[in-house]
């Protein structure tokens, strides 16, 4: 008899439709916050459709904007917003907004929580774990 791990239990757990949709929305946001959207990403986003809810209307507006966006302009806007020369208009790190500094206690706490849950940052990821994406 094999022992079931917590990961096995999570894989077997039935996820509600609401949780699945929430997960997809978080993935969509993360995808567009982690790097500038290219032509393919903008095309995919332009095919999204929302409903009459506030979130659905926002999704429809996002889709409409993606349809009319130029990948080159999106690249420049993303870099001005998050990268900039020296620093962008926004810093996409939670620690900064909680303490006013990067790589502070909130990041350490997040790393401890992730380790406790068995979640590790990929070696290829350069951003700290508290990045908005």
């Amino acid at each position: 008899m094999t022992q079931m791990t917590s990961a096995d239990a999570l894989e077997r757990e039935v996820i509600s439709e609401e949780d699945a949709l929430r997960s997809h929305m978080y993935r969509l946001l993360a995808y567009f916050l982690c790097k500038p959207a290219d032509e393919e990403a903008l095309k995919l986003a332009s095919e999204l459709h929302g409903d009459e809810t506030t979130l659905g209307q926002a999704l429809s507006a996002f889709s409409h904007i993606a349809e009319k966006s130029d990948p080159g302009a999106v690249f420049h806007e993303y870099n001005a917003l998050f990268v900039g020369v020296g620093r962008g208009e926004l810093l996409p790190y939670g620690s900064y907004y909680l303490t006013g500094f990067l790589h502070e206690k909130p990041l350490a706490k997040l790393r401890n929580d992730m380790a406790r849950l068995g979640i590790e940052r990929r070696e290829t990821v350069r951003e700290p774990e508290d990045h908005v994406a």
Side-chain angles (χ1 to χ4, degrees):
M1 181 173 175
T2 60
Q3 184 176 3
M4 182 152 72
T5 66
S6 58
D8 294 331
L10 284 174
E11 285 182 26
R12 293 184 182 183
E13 183 179 324
V14 176
I15 298 174
S16 71
E17 180 181 0
E18 180 181 359
D19 285 343
L21 290 171
R22 183 179 295 111
S23 172
H24 293 312
M25 183 58 72
Y26 287 145
R27 287 181 67 196
L28 175 70
L29 290 171
Y31 184 84
F32 282 92
L33 289 169
C34 74
K35 63 182 179 182
D38 59 15
E39 187 173 347
E40 182 181 354
L42 291 171
K43 181 177 179 345
L44 290 171
S46 73
E47 296 170 357
L48 298 171
H49 302 285
D51 57 19
E52 296 80 30
T53 64
T54 303
L55 182 59
Q57 290 175 15
L59 188 61
S60 292
F62 177 70
S63 175
H64 181 72
I65 291 168
E67 182 178 20
K68 299 191 176 305
S69 293
D70 171 67
V74 169
F75 177 84
H76 291 295
E77 186 172 344
Y78 180 93
N79 282 296
L81 187 61
F82 292 117
V83 180
V85 177
R87 186 175 124 180
E89 293 178 43
L90 296 174
L91 289 176
Y93 308 104
S95 291
Y96 179 78
Y97 292 97
L98 293 170
T99 67
F101 300 97
L102 299 175
H103 303 285
E104 285 293 321
K105 288 182 182 180
L107 177 58
K109 183 179 181 324
L110 175 61
R111 286 178 173 163
N112 287 336
D113 290 343
M114 290 174 66
R116 184 176 46 79
L117 295 168
I119 302 170
E120 294 179 359
R121 181 174 74 175
R122 285 188 218 140
E123 289 183 26
T124 58
V125 175
R126 295 182 180 193
E127 300 290 344
E129 295 84 344
D130 66 340
H131 188 282
V132 68

